[in-house]
Amino acid sequence: QSALTQPASVSGSPGQSISISCTGTSTDVGVYNYVSWYQQHPGKAPKLMIYDVSNRPSGVSNRFSGSKSGNTASLTISGLQAEDEADYYCSSYTSSSTLYVFGTGTKVTVL
Amino acid sequence: QVQLEQSGAEVKKPGASVRVSCKASGYSFTSSYMHWVRQAPGQGLEWMGIINPSAGSTSYAQKFQGRVTMTRDTSTNTVYMDLSSLRSEDTAVYYCVRDAGKILWQLVLWGQGTLVTVSS
């Protein structure tokens, strides 16, 4: 089971919207709604931002939203802020022997 | 205060074993499953396995089968992750992570991480 595929980097100016894609297969993203997104600042532990494709945990800004179409999930950050600069990882349950797989990670830069 | 407190950094030689502990507090220990995730320096996240603190049952990623053992002590609200036959590629920060419930696959609370360095 390979990692889910994400773009290495995405950038945007403050106030803009950006989207990060997460491409999997018919054994993970394509068939399960256990898709999550995590934010990780340098030297810190990851933080859950989206779960079950499009749900936000309590306390997470509504500027973060998630969606899925076929084998690809997406995270959208609207009204980009300096504090959003971080690494973002998607993840999914998988029917393979790996059971749970993360994406390759995307570095978000706020210009 | 709900938190996970992990043991300190370790330095091990190739071929040795390491034990990382994770003490839970502020919530019902047996109400949520616990995951272990690792991150090599400058690399992405890698899921290792999951333990049910109530029953002690486990599921491991195939990559770690035979080398990893996850256990728990309900008297101290602590889970343990043992990794054997260490090699340099096992150098990483290891995280214990609380699930939102019983395998909801929502990794909601992360420990601070434990750096394990494997070097001769």
Side-chain angles (χ1 to χ4, degrees):
Chain A
Q1 171 75 49
S2 300
L4 307 175
T5 301
Q6 299 181 231
S9 63
V10 173
S11 62
S13 300
Q16 285 188 328
S17 292
I18 61 169
S19 289
I20 304 169
S21 61
C22 169
T23 302
T25 69
S26 57
T27 62
D28 40 64
V29 174
V31 292
Y32 297 106
N33 286 328
Y34 292 123
V35 176
S36 296
W37 289 89
Y38 299 88
Q39 175 193 65
Q40 186 179 33
H41 287 108
K44 301 294 187 181
K47 174 186 176 183
L48 179 65
M49 304 300 285
I50 296 288
Y51 67 92
D52 293 353
V53 177
S54 59
N55 294 288
R56 278 187 311 276
S58 175
V60 171
S61 171
N62 59 9
R63 297 185 299 103
F64 292 85
S65 62
S67 62
K68 187 182 83 166
S69 177
N71 294 340
T72 300
S74 297
L75 174 72
T76 298
I77 309 174
S78 58
L80 198 61
Q81 299 180 1
E83 67 207 48
D84 301 331
E85 188 163 288
D87 293 326
Y88 291 82
Y89 295 91
C90 62
S91 66
S92 174
Y93 176 79
T94 169
S95 58
S96 77
S97 57
T98 305
L99 293 183
Y100 195 71
V101 62
F102 285 97
T104 50
T106 298
K107 181 175 181 59
V108 168
T109 300
V110 180
L111 301 172
Chain B
Q1 179 182 359
V2 180
Q3 64 178 6
L4 301 174
E5 188 67 29
Q6 297 185 222
S7 49
E10 301 267 10
V11 179
K12 296 293 183 181
K13 293 192 182 301
S17 297
V18 69
R19 164 170 280 198
V20 179
S21 67
C22 170
K23 182 175 177 59
S25 60
Y27 71 96
S28 173
F29 178 65
T30 55
S31 67
S32 306
Y33 282 47
M34 197 78 79
H35 304 258
W36 287 91
V37 175
R38 76 177 187 178
Q39 185 171 36
Q43 303 300 310
L45 302 170
E46 183 173 34
W47 187 83
M48 300 180 68
I50 189 170
I51 181 168
N52 174 358
S54 179
S57 53
T58 56
S59 291
Y60 304 135
Q62 184 177 42
K63 174 178 179 177
F64 300 101
Q65 290 272 6
R67 281 212 302 146
V68 71
T69 303
M70 297 175 188
T71 57
R72 94 296 190 212
D73 182 342
T74 55
S75 68
T76 60
N77 291 352
T78 302
V79 295
Y80 301 92
M81 190 282 296
D82 294 307
L83 189 62
S84 63
S85 302
L86 290 169
R87 35 207 187 232
S88 58
E89 309 91 88
D90 294 318
T91 294
V93 174
Y94 290 76
Y95 294 100
C96 61
V97 194
R98 177 194 174 194
D99 194 286
K102 299 188 186 299
I103 315 188
L104 297 181
W105 300 104
Q106 301 167 29
L107 280 59
V108 296
L109 178 66
W110 295 64
Q112 84 274 22
T114 296
L115 175 62
V116 174
T117 303
V118 183
S119 174
S120 55

Short mmCIF file of all heavy atoms in Angstrom, two decimals, chain B residues 37-91:
data_model
loop_
_atom_site.label_atom_id
_atom_site.label_comp_id
_atom_site.label_asym_id
_atom_site.label_seq_id
_atom_site.Cartn_x
_atom_site.Cartn_y
_atom_site.Cartn_z
N VAL B 37 1.73 6.23 15.61
CA VAL B 37 2.13 6.81 14.32
C VAL B 37 3.58 7.26 14.46
O VAL B 37 3.96 7.78 15.50
CB VAL B 37 1.24 8.01 13.95
CG1 VAL B 37 1.73 8.70 12.67
CG2 VAL B 37 -0.22 7.58 13.80
N ARG B 38 4.38 7.09 13.43
CA ARG B 38 5.75 7.56 13.50
C ARG B 38 6.07 8.50 12.34
O ARG B 38 5.38 8.49 11.32
CB ARG B 38 6.73 6.40 13.55
CG ARG B 38 6.97 5.70 12.22
CD ARG B 38 8.02 4.61 12.38
NE ARG B 38 8.40 4.01 11.10
CZ ARG B 38 9.32 3.06 10.97
NH1 ARG B 38 9.95 2.58 12.05
NH2 ARG B 38 9.60 2.59 9.78
N GLN B 39 7.12 9.28 12.54
CA GLN B 39 7.54 10.25 11.53
C GLN B 39 9.06 10.33 11.53
O GLN B 39 9.65 10.83 12.49
CB GLN B 39 6.91 11.62 11.81
CG GLN B 39 7.19 12.66 10.74
CD GLN B 39 6.38 13.93 10.97
OE1 GLN B 39 6.14 14.36 12.09
NE2 GLN B 39 5.94 14.56 9.87
N ALA B 40 9.68 9.85 10.47
CA ALA B 40 11.12 9.93 10.33
C ALA B 40 11.51 11.39 10.09
O ALA B 40 10.70 12.19 9.60
CB ALA B 40 11.59 9.06 9.17
N PRO B 41 12.73 11.77 10.41
CA PRO B 41 13.17 13.16 10.25
C PRO B 41 12.93 13.69 8.84
O PRO B 41 13.37 13.09 7.87
CB PRO B 41 14.66 13.08 10.57
CG PRO B 41 14.80 11.90 11.46
CD PRO B 41 13.79 10.91 10.97
N GLY B 42 12.18 14.78 8.75
CA GLY B 42 11.90 15.40 7.47
C GLY B 42 10.97 14.63 6.56
O GLY B 42 10.81 14.99 5.39
N GLN B 43 10.35 13.58 7.11
CA GLN B 43 9.49 12.73 6.30
C GLN B 43 8.02 12.83 6.74
O GLN B 43 7.68 13.60 7.64
CB GLN B 43 9.95 11.27 6.38
CG GLN B 43 11.39 11.06 5.96
CD GLN B 43 11.64 11.48 4.52
OE1 GLN B 43 10.91 11.08 3.60
NE2 GLN B 43 12.66 12.31 4.30
N GLY B 44 7.18 12.04 6.08
CA GLY B 44 5.75 12.07 6.37
C GLY B 44 5.36 11.16 7.52
O GLY B 44 6.20 10.56 8.19
N LEU B 45 4.06 11.07 7.72
CA LEU B 45 3.51 10.27 8.81
C LEU B 45 3.30 8.83 8.35
O LEU B 45 2.94 8.57 7.20
CB LEU B 45 2.17 10.86 9.25
CG LEU B 45 2.22 12.32 9.72
CD1 LEU B 45 0.81 12.87 9.89
CD2 LEU B 45 3.00 12.45 11.01
N GLU B 46 3.49 7.90 9.29
CA GLU B 46 3.34 6.48 8.98
C GLU B 46 2.58 5.81 10.12
O GLU B 46 3.02 5.84 11.26
CB GLU B 46 4.70 5.82 8.77
CG GLU B 46 4.63 4.35 8.38
CD GLU B 46 5.99 3.79 8.02
OE1 GLU B 46 7.00 4.22 8.61
OE2 GLU B 46 6.05 2.89 7.16
N TRP B 47 1.45 5.19 9.79
CA TRP B 47 0.64 4.51 10.80
C TRP B 47 1.23 3.15 11.10
O TRP B 47 1.58 2.38 10.19
CB TRP B 47 -0.78 4.37 10.27
CG TRP B 47 -1.78 3.83 11.25
CD1 TRP B 47 -2.45 4.54 12.21
CD2 TRP B 47 -2.23 2.48 11.35
NE1 TRP B 47 -3.29 3.70 12.91
CE2 TRP B 47 -3.17 2.43 12.41
CE3 TRP B 47 -1.93 1.30 10.66
CZ2 TRP B 47 -3.83 1.26 12.78
CZ3 TRP B 47 -2.58 0.13 11.03
CH2 TRP B 47 -3.52 0.12 12.08
N MET B 48 1.32 2.83 12.40
CA MET B 48 1.94 1.57 12.81
C MET B 48 0.94 0.54 13.30
O MET B 48 1.09 -0.66 13.06
CB MET B 48 2.96 1.82 13.92
CG MET B 48 4.09 2.75 13.53
SD MET B 48 5.23 2.98 14.88
CE MET B 48 5.97 1.35 15.01
N GLY B 49 -0.08 0.99 14.04
CA GLY B 49 -1.01 0.04 14.58
C GLY B 49 -1.96 0.68 15.57
O GLY B 49 -1.91 1.88 15.82
N ILE B 50 -2.83 -0.16 16.14
CA ILE B 50 -3.87 0.33 17.04
C ILE B 50 -4.11 -0.69 18.14
O ILE B 50 -3.96 -1.90 17.92
CB ILE B 50 -5.17 0.61 16.24
CG1 ILE B 50 -6.21 1.32 17.08
CG2 ILE B 50 -5.74 -0.69 15.65
CD1 ILE B 50 -7.41 1.83 16.28
N ILE B 51 -4.45 -0.19 19.33
CA ILE B 51 -4.76 -1.06 20.44
C ILE B 51 -6.08 -0.64 21.08
O ILE B 51 -6.37 0.55 21.18
CB ILE B 51 -3.63 -1.08 21.49
CG1 ILE B 51 -3.97 -2.03 22.64
CG2 ILE B 51 -3.30 0.32 22.01
CD1 ILE B 51 -2.80 -2.33 23.58
N ASN B 52 -6.86 -1.61 21.48
CA ASN B 52 -8.07 -1.39 22.26
C ASN B 52 -7.68 -1.46 23.73
O ASN B 52 -7.40 -2.55 24.24
CB ASN B 52 -9.10 -2.46 21.90
CG ASN B 52 -10.34 -2.38 22.76
OD1 ASN B 52 -10.45 -1.55 23.66
ND2 ASN B 52 -11.30 -3.25 22.50
N PRO B 53 -7.65 -0.35 24.43
CA PRO B 53 -7.19 -0.36 25.83
C PRO B 53 -8.11 -1.19 26.74
O PRO B 53 -7.66 -1.62 27.80
CB PRO B 53 -7.22 1.12 26.23
CG PRO B 53 -7.10 1.85 24.95
CD PRO B 53 -7.87 1.03 23.96
N SER B 54 -9.33 -1.41 26.33
CA SER B 54 -10.24 -2.18 27.16
C SER B 54 -9.92 -3.68 27.10
O SER B 54 -9.68 -4.32 28.13
CB SER B 54 -11.69 -1.94 26.72
OG SER B 54 -12.58 -2.71 27.50
N ALA B 55 -9.88 -4.21 25.90
CA ALA B 55 -9.65 -5.66 25.72
C ALA B 55 -8.18 -6.02 25.53
O ALA B 55 -7.81 -7.18 25.67
CB ALA B 55 -10.46 -6.16 24.53
N GLY B 56 -7.38 -5.04 25.16
CA GLY B 56 -5.98 -5.32 24.87
C GLY B 56 -5.74 -5.84 23.47
O GLY B 56 -4.60 -6.15 23.10
N SER B 57 -6.77 -5.93 22.68
CA SER B 57 -6.63 -6.43 21.31
C SER B 57 -5.91 -5.40 20.44
O SER B 57 -5.98 -4.20 20.69
CB SER B 57 -7.99 -6.76 20.72
OG SER B 57 -8.87 -5.65 20.82
N THR B 58 -5.21 -5.92 19.43
CA THR B 58 -4.38 -5.05 18.59
C THR B 58 -4.53 -5.38 17.11
O THR B 58 -4.94 -6.49 16.73
CB THR B 58 -2.90 -5.22 18.96
OG1 THR B 58 -2.55 -6.61 18.83
CG2 THR B 58 -2.60 -4.75 20.37
N SER B 59 -4.20 -4.43 16.28
CA SER B 59 -4.05 -4.62 14.84
C SER B 59 -2.83 -3.82 14.42
O SER B 59 -2.69 -2.66 14.81
CB SER B 59 -5.29 -4.15 14.07
OG SER B 59 -6.40 -4.97 14.31
N TYR B 60 -1.97 -4.48 13.63
CA TYR B 60 -0.73 -3.82 13.22
C TYR B 60 -0.68 -3.70 11.70
O TYR B 60 -1.17 -4.56 10.96
CB TYR B 60 0.47 -4.63 13.68
CG TYR B 60 0.53 -4.92 15.16
CD1 TYR B 60 0.84 -6.19 15.63
CD2 TYR B 60 0.29 -3.92 16.11
CE1 TYR B 60 0.90 -6.47 16.99
CE2 TYR B 60 0.34 -4.18 17.46
CZ TYR B 60 0.64 -5.46 17.90
OH TYR B 60 0.70 -5.72 19.25
N ALA B 61 -0.03 -2.63 11.22
CA ALA B 61 0.25 -2.53 9.79
C ALA B 61 1.17 -3.69 9.41
O ALA B 61 2.08 -4.04 10.18
CB ALA B 61 0.92 -1.20 9.48
N GLN B 62 0.94 -4.25 8.24
CA GLN B 62 1.71 -5.44 7.86
C GLN B 62 3.21 -5.19 7.90
O GLN B 62 3.99 -6.07 8.26
CB GLN B 62 1.30 -5.89 6.45
CG GLN B 62 1.98 -7.18 6.02
CD GLN B 62 1.51 -7.65 4.66
OE1 GLN B 62 1.35 -6.86 3.73
NE2 GLN B 62 1.27 -8.94 4.53
N LYS B 63 3.62 -3.97 7.58
CA LYS B 63 5.04 -3.64 7.56
C LYS B 63 5.72 -3.92 8.90
O LYS B 63 6.89 -4.26 8.95
CB LYS B 63 5.21 -2.16 7.19
CG LYS B 63 6.64 -1.66 7.27
CD LYS B 63 6.73 -0.21 6.86
CE LYS B 63 8.17 0.30 6.97
NZ LYS B 63 8.32 1.69 6.50
N PHE B 64 4.98 -3.80 9.99
CA PHE B 64 5.56 -3.92 11.33
C PHE B 64 5.23 -5.25 12.00
O PHE B 64 5.70 -5.51 13.12
CB PHE B 64 5.10 -2.76 12.20
CG PHE B 64 5.49 -1.42 11.67
CD1 PHE B 64 4.58 -0.63 10.99
CD2 PHE B 64 6.79 -0.95 11.82
CE1 PHE B 64 4.94 0.60 10.47
CE2 PHE B 64 7.16 0.28 11.30
CZ PHE B 64 6.23 1.05 10.62
N GLN B 65 4.44 -6.07 11.35
CA GLN B 65 4.08 -7.37 11.92
C GLN B 65 5.34 -8.16 12.27
O GLN B 65 6.26 -8.26 11.49
CB GLN B 65 3.26 -8.18 10.91
CG GLN B 65 1.85 -7.64 10.67
CD GLN B 65 0.83 -8.18 11.63
OE1 GLN B 65 1.17 -8.88 12.57
NE2 GLN B 65 -0.44 -7.85 11.41
N GLY B 66 5.36 -8.71 13.47
CA GLY B 66 6.50 -9.49 13.91
C GLY B 66 7.56 -8.67 14.63
O GLY B 66 8.43 -9.23 15.30
N ARG B 67 7.52 -7.35 14.48
CA ARG B 67 8.53 -6.50 15.15
C ARG B 67 7.91 -5.58 16.18
O ARG B 67 8.61 -5.06 17.06
CB ARG B 67 9.26 -5.62 14.12
CG ARG B 67 10.34 -6.28 13.33
CD ARG B 67 11.45 -5.28 13.00
NE ARG B 67 10.96 -4.13 12.24
CZ ARG B 67 11.46 -2.91 12.38
NH1 ARG B 67 12.44 -2.67 13.23
NH2 ARG B 67 10.97 -1.91 11.64
N VAL B 68 6.62 -5.32 16.08
CA VAL B 68 5.97 -4.39 17.00
C VAL B 68 4.99 -5.13 17.91
O VAL B 68 4.34 -6.09 17.50
CB VAL B 68 5.24 -3.28 16.22
CG1 VAL B 68 4.01 -3.82 15.51
CG2 VAL B 68 4.87 -2.13 17.15
N THR B 69 4.94 -4.67 19.17
CA THR B 69 3.97 -5.18 20.12
C THR B 69 3.40 -4.00 20.89
O THR B 69 4.15 -3.20 21.44
CB THR B 69 4.61 -6.17 21.11
OG1 THR B 69 5.24 -7.23 20.38
CG2 THR B 69 3.57 -6.76 22.04
N MET B 70 2.08 -3.91 20.90
CA MET B 70 1.41 -2.85 21.65
C MET B 70 0.65 -3.48 22.80
O MET B 70 -0.10 -4.45 22.60
CB MET B 70 0.47 -2.07 20.73
CG MET B 70 1.21 -1.36 19.61
SD MET B 70 0.13 -0.55 18.42
CE MET B 70 1.33 -0.07 17.17
N THR B 71 0.84 -2.94 23.98
CA THR B 71 0.18 -3.45 25.17
C THR B 71 -0.36 -2.29 25.99
O THR B 71 -0.10 -1.12 25.68
CB THR B 71 1.17 -4.27 26.04
OG1 THR B 71 2.29 -3.43 26.37
CG2 THR B 71 1.66 -5.51 25.30
N ARG B 72 -1.12 -2.65 27.05
CA ARG B 72 -1.64 -1.59 27.91
C ARG B 72 -1.70 -2.07 29.34
O ARG B 72 -1.71 -3.27 29.62
CB ARG B 72 -3.00 -1.11 27.42
CG ARG B 72 -4.26 -1.77 28.04
CD ARG B 72 -4.39 -3.20 27.75
NE ARG B 72 -5.69 -3.72 28.16
CZ ARG B 72 -5.87 -4.96 28.59
NH1 ARG B 72 -4.84 -5.81 28.65
NH2 ARG B 72 -7.07 -5.37 28.92
N ASP B 73 -1.70 -1.10 30.26
CA ASP B 73 -1.83 -1.37 31.69
C ASP B 73 -2.99 -0.50 32.17
O ASP B 73 -2.85 0.72 32.30
CB ASP B 73 -0.53 -1.01 32.40
CG ASP B 73 -0.58 -1.32 33.89
OD1 ASP B 73 -1.70 -1.49 34.44
OD2 ASP B 73 0.48 -1.38 34.51
N THR B 74 -4.12 -1.12 32.41
CA THR B 74 -5.30 -0.35 32.80
C THR B 74 -5.19 0.20 34.23
O THR B 74 -5.92 1.11 34.59
CB THR B 74 -6.58 -1.20 32.69
OG1 THR B 74 -6.41 -2.40 33.46
CG2 THR B 74 -6.85 -1.58 31.23
N SER B 75 -4.27 -0.32 35.02
CA SER B 75 -4.12 0.18 36.39
C SER B 75 -3.41 1.53 36.42
O SER B 75 -3.55 2.30 37.37
CB SER B 75 -3.36 -0.82 37.25
OG SER B 75 -2.01 -0.92 36.84
N THR B 76 -2.66 1.82 35.36
CA THR B 76 -1.92 3.09 35.29
C THR B 76 -2.33 3.92 34.07
O THR B 76 -1.75 4.97 33.81
CB THR B 76 -0.41 2.84 35.21
OG1 THR B 76 -0.12 2.07 34.04
CG2 THR B 76 0.09 2.12 36.45
N ASN B 77 -3.34 3.45 33.33
CA ASN B 77 -3.81 4.17 32.14
C ASN B 77 -2.68 4.44 31.15
O ASN B 77 -2.55 5.55 30.62
CB ASN B 77 -4.50 5.49 32.51
CG ASN B 77 -5.82 5.28 33.22
OD1 ASN B 77 -6.33 4.16 33.32
ND2 ASN B 77 -6.38 6.36 33.73
N THR B 78 -1.87 3.42 30.94
CA THR B 78 -0.69 3.58 30.09
C THR B 78 -0.70 2.53 28.97
O THR B 78 -1.02 1.38 29.20
CB THR B 78 0.59 3.42 30.92
OG1 THR B 78 0.59 4.40 31.96
CG2 THR B 78 1.83 3.62 30.04
N VAL B 79 -0.36 2.99 27.78
CA VAL B 79 -0.13 2.07 26.67
C VAL B 79 1.36 2.06 26.33
O VAL B 79 2.05 3.05 26.58
CB VAL B 79 -0.96 2.43 25.41
CG1 VAL B 79 -2.45 2.27 25.68
CG2 VAL B 79 -0.65 3.82 24.94
N TYR B 80 1.81 0.94 25.81
CA TYR B 80 3.21 0.76 25.47
C TYR B 80 3.35 0.30 24.03
O TYR B 80 2.51 -0.45 23.52
CB TYR B 80 3.86 -0.28 26.38
CG TYR B 80 3.80 0.04 27.85
CD1 TYR B 80 2.76 -0.42 28.64
CD2 TYR B 80 4.80 0.82 28.44
CE1 TYR B 80 2.70 -0.12 29.99
CE2 TYR B 80 4.74 1.12 29.79
CZ TYR B 80 3.69 0.65 30.56
OH TYR B 80 3.64 0.95 31.90
N MET B 81 4.43 0.73 23.42
CA MET B 81 4.77 0.28 22.08
C MET B 81 6.21 -0.22 22.10
O MET B 81 7.13 0.53 22.40
CB MET B 81 4.62 1.43 21.07
CG MET B 81 4.73 1.03 19.59
SD MET B 81 6.41 0.76 19.01
CE MET B 81 7.09 2.42 19.21
N ASP B 82 6.37 -1.52 21.84
CA ASP B 82 7.69 -2.13 21.78
C ASP B 82 8.04 -2.39 20.32
O ASP B 82 7.24 -2.99 19.59
CB ASP B 82 7.72 -3.46 22.55
CG ASP B 82 7.51 -3.26 24.03
OD1 ASP B 82 8.24 -2.45 24.62
OD2 ASP B 82 6.62 -3.91 24.59
N LEU B 83 9.22 -1.98 19.92
CA LEU B 83 9.70 -2.23 18.56
C LEU B 83 11.06 -2.91 18.66
O LEU B 83 11.97 -2.41 19.34
CB LEU B 83 9.81 -0.93 17.77
CG LEU B 83 10.10 -1.06 16.27
CD1 LEU B 83 8.97 -1.81 15.55
CD2 LEU B 83 10.32 0.32 15.64
N SER B 84 11.19 -4.05 18.02
CA SER B 84 12.41 -4.85 18.13
C SER B 84 13.22 -4.82 16.83
O SER B 84 12.77 -4.29 15.81
CB SER B 84 12.04 -6.30 18.49
OG SER B 84 11.26 -6.87 17.44
N SER B 85 14.39 -5.43 16.90
CA SER B 85 15.29 -5.53 15.74
C SER B 85 15.44 -4.18 15.05
O SER B 85 15.28 -4.04 13.84
CB SER B 85 14.75 -6.57 14.73
OG SER B 85 14.61 -7.83 15.34
N LEU B 86 15.77 -3.18 15.86
CA LEU B 86 15.85 -1.82 15.34
C LEU B 86 16.94 -1.67 14.28
O LEU B 86 18.01 -2.28 14.36
CB LEU B 86 16.11 -0.85 16.49
CG LEU B 86 14.94 -0.65 17.47
CD1 LEU B 86 15.42 0.12 18.70
CD2 LEU B 86 13.79 0.06 16.80
N ARG B 87 16.65 -0.84 13.29
CA ARG B 87 17.62 -0.49 12.26
C ARG B 87 17.61 1.02 12.10
O ARG B 87 16.72 1.70 12.62
CB ARG B 87 17.32 -1.21 10.96
CG ARG B 87 15.83 -1.41 10.66
CD ARG B 87 15.64 -2.62 9.79
NE ARG B 87 14.26 -2.77 9.34
CZ ARG B 87 13.56 -3.90 9.49
NH1 ARG B 87 14.10 -4.95 10.08
NH2 ARG B 87 12.32 -3.98 9.04
N SER B 88 18.54 1.54 11.37
CA SER B 88 18.67 2.99 11.25
C SER B 88 17.39 3.63 10.69
O SER B 88 17.05 4.76 11.05
CB SER B 88 19.86 3.35 10.36
OG SER B 88 19.72 2.77 9.07
N GLU B 89 16.69 2.91 9.85
CA GLU B 89 15.45 3.44 9.24
C GLU B 89 14.32 3.62 10.27
O GLU B 89 13.29 4.23 9.96
CB GLU B 89 14.94 2.53 8.14
CG GLU B 89 15.98 2.14 7.08
CD GLU B 89 16.71 0.87 7.45
OE1 GLU B 89 16.22 -0.22 7.11
OE2 GLU B 89 17.78 0.98 8.10
N ASP B 90 14.50 3.08 11.47
CA ASP B 90 13.49 3.24 12.52
C ASP B 90 13.69 4.53 13.30
O ASP B 90 12.89 4.84 14.19
CB ASP B 90 13.53 2.05 13.47
CG ASP B 90 13.11 0.75 12.80
OD1 ASP B 90 12.12 0.77 12.03
OD2 ASP B 90 13.78 -0.28 13.04
N THR B 91 14.73 5.26 13.00
CA THR B 91 14.93 6.56 13.63
C THR B 91 13.77 7.48 13.26
O THR B 91 13.53 7.75 12.08
CB THR B 91 16.26 7.19 13.18
OG1 THR B 91 17.34 6.40 13.68
CG2 THR B 91 16.38 8.62 13.71
#
